[in-house]
Amino acid sequence: MERTLVILKPCTIQRGLIGEIISRFEKKGLCLVGMKMVWLTDEILSEHYAHLKEKPFFQRIKDAMSVCPVIVCCWEGVDAIQVVRLMAGTTNGRNAQPGTIRGDYSMSVQENIVHASDSPETAAIELKRFFVDSELFSYKRNDLLSIYANDEF
Ligand code: UDP
Ligand code: MG
């Protein structure tokens, strides 16, 4: 089983889409093992978006990510990192495939509903960035044998 970080961005909170987006991951069969609301600081956002620090929109995305609190979640499942990235869709909501989260709910490259970790290495670093160990739980959904074959997990 893998764990991955999802952030419901301020646009999602402002548009009243929290339940709808969480529901997608839940219905897919991923297991929610951590969740909290946090107001992100410029400091943590500078670290989180360090790969974009040379871009002209660096400050703009940090500002957009701190207009209100966000919801950070940790989802667990087989290949969860790739599964969640596929569910999120490509970065620009206008190009994202219909059926993906960004494809269904976003018209913007910036206001694109969710952040999702992009690799196992990134997921491990990002989960540590937003959660302390005691905020992530170990348990199994009771419907696991309806979600996977018994040799899949
Ligand atoms: N972003 C933006 N303009 C761009 C590229 C990215 O505003 O041209 C924002 C967008 O909100 C994106 C975030 O910066 O989700 C992080 O960019 P990244 O390339 O990591 O995209 P993601 O992994 O979110 O698809
Ligand atoms: Mg990214």
Side-chain angles (χ1 to χ4, degrees), residues 66-92:
S66 53
V67 297
C68 73
V70 299
I71 291 173
V72 292
C73 350
C74 177
W75 292 95
E76 184 183 79
V78 175
D79 301 330
I81 297 158
Q82 194 206 352
V83 166
V84 168
R85 285 290 289 189
L86 288 171
M87 289 177 74
T90 52
T91 307
N92 185 336

Side-chain angles (χ1 to χ4, degrees), residues 32-49:
L32 183 63
V33 297
M35 179 162 75
K36 64 183 177 182
M37 181 171 259
V38 280
W39 204 316
L40 300 176
T41 60
D42 195 74
E43 189 184 4
I44 201 167
L45 286 165
S46 294
E47 195 181 298
H48 186 62
Y49 286 128

Side-chain angles (χ1 to χ4, degrees), residues 55-74:
K55 302 280 186 191
F57 54 81
F58 182 55
Q59 190 60 46
R60 191 197 76 201
I61 45 170
K62 291 193 295 172
D63 291 345
M65 287 294 286
S66 53
V67 297
C68 73
V70 299
I71 291 173
V72 292
C73 350
C74 177

